[in-house]
Amino acid sequence: MTRITAPSCQPVDRASASTASEQTRKAKPPKAPSDREGFRQAMSWLHTWAGLILGWLLFAIFLTGTLSFFKNEFNLWMRPEMHGLQPVEAAAPQVAQTAQRALDALVRKVPNVTQWIMHLPDDRDPAVNILWRDTGNGRFETLRMHPQTGEAIDTRQTMGGDFFYRFHFELRTAQKGRWTLQGRWVVGVATMLMFVALISGVITHRRIFKDFFTFRPTKGGQRAWLDAHNVTGVLVLPFYLMITFSGLMIFHTLYMPAGIATAYQGEKGVDSNAYFADLQGEKAESRPRRGLGDKVEPLPAIALPPILAEARTRWDGGRIGSVQARRDAKGRAVVEVTRHEGDRLQYRPPRLLFDATTGQWLDQADATGPAVKTYGVLYGLHMARFADVGLRWALFGFGVLGSLMIATGMVLWSVKRSATSQTQASRKGAAANTDAVTKAPFGERLVAAINIATLAGLPLACGVYIASNRLVPLNVEGRADVELAWFFSAWGLALLWALACAVVRPSRMGWSVPLGAAGLVWALLPVINALTTHTHLGTTLPAGEWVWASMDLAFLATGLLLGGLSWRLRPGRAPRGKAAATKAQRTTPVAALPAASDVSASTSGA
Amino acid sequence: MSAFLLCFAAWSAIALGMDRHHEDATGREGAARSLQQLRRTGWLLLLLSLWLAAHPAGSVPASLGVTAWAVALSVAAVAVTAAVTWQPRRTPLLAGMALVAGLGAWAWGW
């Protein structure tokens, strides 16, 4: 028998693989008293399981949220009909002319409009976007208009970047919202667990501040995964704490409705509208809630230029974000001018109220109380509407790092457990000398499968969604939902593939195929774009239209990155280095393990 | 921009004040005293960059300046980690250049 007794084998493995510096660190007597160690163990348990249970969902939320930083750019790119619109100068009277032209066009189209909200063009969105309705309380219709001519732009039906945005906070599965409240609750629970995982993670990985800049990808195995998890975790920690906490705060009224229910008792039950009006520093009667069948008088003719000019003087030349008109509770037509969201950190921007017929200034609405201001700042930090291009890319990078932190955490769970079960198996002598694949327990295989389906499947699904925007014929019924069907089908296929590769019949193809497919789709996006539209790199690069061109270039870069990852994980590659460590641990001979078992001790405690 | 460069210099100094990275960068162990001085310099530089960010030029509100600084802080930390991982020998040089460029960028109002 070649069986070695476990106690003698374990320390040798550790010593051979750790460096001298690590040994000295281990040799130090533990300073902490034992109850602190117990606390850390408990936090480690909490971190592991809070992270695992909703980790996959968190990855999806984090990644789509990251993409949402470029929501407007996605919206633009996925509507190539909007290409070629000339930007409107924010400072000049052109803005007022643009607004008036769009309003005239709207009134020509819908003479008895009762309410409209007009988003004026800015440097991220060149069109005039109007939401309007001609009923008391019906659904708003959307209209996009040419900023110079006021003509409606006929765009393809798509959710564009709004899908990522909506999926991010309410797990939206259809263009017209369904299960949105339930979705928000699920996301809220996941966010809470993220917060728990962040705080317990700081306690668990206590060395992160000592090892602040330490990343050792060449060490391979679990060490490299742990380094990657710690480094992506700690360097951007302020961002994670901010984004998670503010994410929780945004929907505080959903999670904790009791306060409103107590303080805002109206005649017809709870009047949450009054609460929100107070929150935003408004008078509730300026924005009345109407029943579905209520008759509302159409709006009178409105002259916008004098109103907008006065708004600008009152804000010392600040930018105007949007304008809206409606009838207040007394039936008076009012115009509300909202300042541009990029002008300050705090969300929502201040608003000015004017009489629609006389153009007279009535009121200023803005959050005032310190708690409300704090809420606004948290909200603003989360939405990052203030960010210019450079800051936006940096935040996007943080989002990617956060997704990587979650991803490496999930992989660590698998790597660590398969390392343990391999060691156990080798102790039993089952696979000590053979290269035979040891089958991991069902639970571990299931986690491995869902890891593949989420971490590799979601990038694939996102790529397929964007591709479908170009490939689905324009006249298909319910086109926006067809695009979403592509997204969810791709994700579902990835799940089936992962289950087949990891649960039913373990195979090393699991990671490389969906990642390779994702890389292919993303890298092909510029090509598909060139074949189906005129807004491809061939025209946008020479014209210096960087918003359009950088989308294509970013898609290409994403594709190359995913492709490279898939190449590193391909079957047959020697199971060394960090990439191979993902799946290698389960399927490789025990010889590869010492490097892994050396750190398994330091993950849990150190 | 100046916030990023100054934070980069600051984080580099802190990193070079740590045993492991000091050894990687210079090839020898640093004296405890000089390591401590490096770390102190780093922290002071971080404070300086925060102070500069809180007094932005032009019409930018201080809240946005500090937010941008917080972003630059993390970006610089990522950059320094990359530097000490893949270019440990050049990290001191890069840090010095970042310090000069950062002060220059601040003087130009970037």
Side-chain angles (χ1 to χ4, degrees), chain A residues 227-247:
Chain A
D227 271 354
H229 185 61
N230 288 350
V231 156
T232 51
V234 75
L235 294 181
V236 192
L237 191 61
F239 171 78
Y240 303 145
L241 288 173
M242 177 281 284
I243 210 83
T244 313
F245 184 65
S246 57

Side-chain angles (χ1 to χ4, degrees), chain A residues 420-435:
Chain A
T420 322
S421 52
Q422 284 278 350
T423 328
Q424 280 166 358
S426 75
R427 275 182 210 154
K428 282 179 202 150
N433 275 342
T434 55
D435 285 4

Side-chain angles (χ1 to χ4, degrees), chain A residues 145-167:
Chain A
M145 281 176 178
H146 194 291
Q148 275 84 31
T149 63
E151 279 169 42
I153 307 167
D154 197 14
T155 60
R156 62 187 62 196
Q157 280 189 316
T158 175
M159 277 190 80
D162 281 315
F163 169 61
F164 295 131
Y165 178 62
R166 294 274 164 187
F167 186 86

Side-chain angles (χ1 to χ4, degrees), chain A residues 25 209-217 231 235-236 238 345 381 386 391 394-395 398 401, chain B residues 11 14-15 18 20-21 61 63-64 67-68 70-71 74-75 77-78 80-81 84-86:
Chain A
R25 215 169 284 129
F209 294 108
K210 242 183 190 167
D211 289 348
F212 199 77
F213 305 104
T214 308
F215 181 41
R216 290 157 289 187
V231 156
L235 294 181
V236 192
L345 189 58
L381 280 171
F386 58 85
L391 219 50
L395 290 170
F398 292 174
L401 279 179
Chain B
W11 282 128
I14 294 175
M18 292 172 157
R20 178 185 301 143
H21 303 299
S63 59
L64 283 181
T67 310
V71 172
S74 283
V75 176
V78 173
V80 169
T81 304
V84 297
T85 303
W86 288 291

